[in-house]
Amino acid sequence: MDISYPPETETFRAEARAFLAETLPPDWKGIGALDEDDAWAFARDWRRLLVARGYLSLTWPEEYGGRGLSKLHQVVLMEELALAGVPFGLPQDTFGVKMLANTLLRWGTEEQKSHFLPRILSGEDIWCQGYSEPDAGSDLASLTTRAVPDGEEWVIDGQKVWTSGAHHSDWIFVLARTNREASKHRGISFLLVPLDQPGVEVRPFRMMSGQLHFNEVFFDGARTRADLVVGGVDNGWTVAQSLLGVERGEEAATNPILFRAEVERLVELARLYGKDQDPVVRQRIAWCWSKIEIMRCLGYRILTGWLKGAEPGPESSIAKLYWSEYHTEVTDLAMDIMGLHAQVPVGRPPLRTYRTDDPGAANSSASWSTTYLIARSGTIYAGTSQVQRNILAEKVLGLPREPRLTSP
């Protein structure tokens, strides 16, 4: 396997490193080292710097405010940002910049791209994702939220759940059933819907970590314009599947970096609690380290397919299952190292509401115990571990399909 990068991307890497050296303080340890208010202030200012440099829209065509560079340039940028301990924009940029913008570039009309892309880039429009429903999470094609035409508008009724950041968002991209006569994977459309309107109710609910991140979103006669369908009416499933592949390459490159930094912090935690010479703790830390190396090699495999433009395949399920199950083990170890101290969290909890704490975070019991709780949700969101195992059993191993319940 040749894992070297071509010269043009290494030139860009030098540019990115120079930018980081010029803009970050000399004593920079990572955004996780800041307190909550300072971290949010830094993240907002940092986003403006990324926009001005063209980094937030690196692969977009120049006519939409991008730099027109390749996917591999994007991977290099994400690697350098992760190593420096700085974010790629604000949390909701995952949905606006990464997911929706790339979906519009592939499937959107010229009017949709010209209107929404500049507003996404400027941060004027904040987006969230309306996919999962109470009875259609991992089996997304079973969704029941409906959209029916009414003159020049769509009228939407139904409910979405686990909607990250909806209470901070202006718009939501929604999968809704627009043809009840079609099979469940067909007859679904991808709609762009404003949240600030009568007929939309957003209800945040508190996670067991104590954070407010997820929401329920209720649609009761909500409306959006008829031309705000992306990819054509009844073609939403195809559009949705392409969106799910957007982050594969970036995550394949950055996950090993973030998880390795977490293990390095875990080693320091063991030293702090005088457990670094305990043979069982040392063995468990070595196990974690070996898993990170496997994750890195798996990432190269996924990255290769992503750069070639391949659609998401079984390797996506392998990666999701791998890192989410691993993360429960490494956070279990952190709790065991802290012992009773873990039951009385002190210090700043993590700023991030998924995966690891931010680079540079202190080894506080609040950081580790909250990350421990967050790790459990990682085995549920973006496809549960059980569903990922079913996918791999049926599509990779060729095992019989799980029996489906039928109505009497």
Side-chain angles (χ1 to χ4, degrees):
M1 176 186 293
D2 181 6
I3 59 174
S4 60
Y5 286 69
E8 63 271 18
T9 53
E10 290 302 334
T11 300
F12 175 73
R13 189 187 300 277
E15 175 197 322
R17 287 179 176 175
F19 165 74
L20 292 166
E22 293 165 5
T23 52
L24 293 176
D27 58 347
W28 179 253
K29 294 183 175 118
I31 191 172
L34 305 177
D35 65 33
E36 188 168 2
D37 290 339
D38 288 343
W40 280 109
F42 172 86
R44 287 188 288 268
D45 291 340
W46 185 250
R47 187 189 193 279
R48 286 191 282 269
L49 289 173
L50 293 177
V51 171
R53 192 71 176 230
Y55 285 166
L56 210 65
S57 54
L58 194 68
T59 62
W60 298 13
E62 293 182 12
E63 60 264 34
Y64 301 117
R67 289 181 56 175
L69 298 180
S70 70
K71 287 181 176 180
L72 192 54
H73 286 86
Q74 180 75 22
V75 168
V76 168
L77 174 64
M78 298 303 287
E79 286 178 340
E80 293 304 316
L81 295 180
L83 288 167
V86 292
F88 179 77
L90 295 170
Q92 291 305 110
D93 284 322
T94 295
F95 305 105
V97 174
K98 290 186 180 179
M99 292 185 176
L100 181 60
N102 285 289
T103 300
L104 288 175
L105 286 169
R106 178 171 179 180
W107 296 98
T109 64
E110 186 55 43
E111 291 76 13
Q112 291 168 349
K113 289 185 280 191
S114 297
H115 176 77
F116 286 110
L117 290 177
R119 297 169 67 90
I120 290 171
L121 192 57
S122 69
E124 186 174 355
D125 288 344
I126 308 300
W127 287 83
C128 60
Q129 180 183 31
Y131 274 24
S132 294
E133 299 183 4
D135 295 316
S138 296
D139 184 15
L140 184 58
S142 296
L143 62 87
T144 59
T145 294
R146 293 184 57 199
V148 297
D150 181 24
E152 296 299 312
E153 294 181 311
W154 292 96
V155 180
I156 305 161
D157 293 280
Q159 179 188 356
K160 298 294 179 179
V161 74
W162 314 121
T163 313
S164 300
H167 54 313
H168 299 309
S169 300
D170 309 304
W171 286 77
I172 182 171
F173 49 92
V174 175
L175 288 183
R177 193 161 299 284
T178 48
N179 185 345
R180 301 184 70 181
E181 304 303 319
S183 63
K184 69 177 189 176
H185 288 86
R186 300 179 182 179
I188 294 172
S189 296
F190 188 105
L191 304 170
L192 309 179
V193 182
L195 286 171
D196 185 13
Q197 62 164 303
V200 176
E201 181 182 1
V202 177
R203 296 182 191 170
F205 54 85
R206 196 170 298 277
M207 302 185 295
M208 66 179 179
S209 65
Q211 297 165 307
L212 286 173
H213 182 59
F214 293 133
N215 300 265
E216 297 174 287
V217 181
F218 296 86
F219 301 99
D220 184 10
R223 291 177 175 267
T224 195
R225 296 202 319 263
D227 62 341
L228 294 185
V229 178
V230 179
V233 176
D234 296 345
N235 193 43
W237 185 257
T238 301
V239 177
Q241 290 300 107
S242 70
L243 181 147
L244 293 174
V246 164
E247 290 187 282
R248 279 203 307 157
E250 295 174 8
E251 288 187 359
T254 58
N255 269 350
I257 296 172
L258 295 175
F259 283 117
R260 179 184 289 276
E262 184 180 62
V263 170
E264 290 171 350
R265 192 160 66 99
L266 182 69
V267 172
E268 293 303 315
L269 184 74
R271 289 175 180 152
L272 180 65
Y273 280 85
K275 301 286 184 69
D276 55 311
Q277 298 304 312
D278 183 300
V280 174
V281 170
R282 290 169 67 89
Q283 183 181 40
R284 292 172 69 183
I285 289 175
W287 179 90
C288 293
W289 198 273
S290 68
K291 292 294 181 180
I292 297 299
E293 285 300 294
I294 295 170
M295 189 186 301
R296 183 172 65 89
C297 293
L298 177 60
Y300 284 134
R301 180 174 180 176
I302 294 171
L303 180 58
T304 299
W306 184 73
L307 292 172
K308 291 180 178 178
E311 292 297 324
E315 63 274 9
S316 295
S317 293
I318 294 172
K320 170 58 172 61
L321 179 63
Y322 186 93
W323 72 253
S324 62
E325 293 289 327
Y326 157 79
H327 204 212
T328 64
E329 297 289 338
V330 71
T331 53
D332 274 344
L333 175 53
M335 297 293 279
D336 289 345
I337 289 172
M338 292 187 295
L340 291 177
H341 292 274
Q343 306 304 313
V344 189
V346 295
R348 180 184 62 72
L351 300 175
R352 291 160 62 97
T353 52
Y354 61 100
R355 302 190 198 179
T356 67
D357 199 349
D358 280 302
N363 263 322
S364 70
S365 53
S367 170
W368 280 108
S369 61
T370 309
T371 304
Y372 164 81
L373 297 175
I374 290 171
R376 268 59 196 165
S377 69
T379 65
I380 300 170
Y381 65 70
T384 67
S385 292
Q386 292 82 0
V387 167
Q388 304 302 334
R389 289 188 178 98
N390 275 355
I391 291 171
L392 295 172
E394 295 172 7
K395 294 189 175 181
V396 178
L397 301 178
L399 297 178
R401 290 176 62 85
E402 181 176 308
R404 266 50 172 183
L405 296 177
T406 57
S407 302

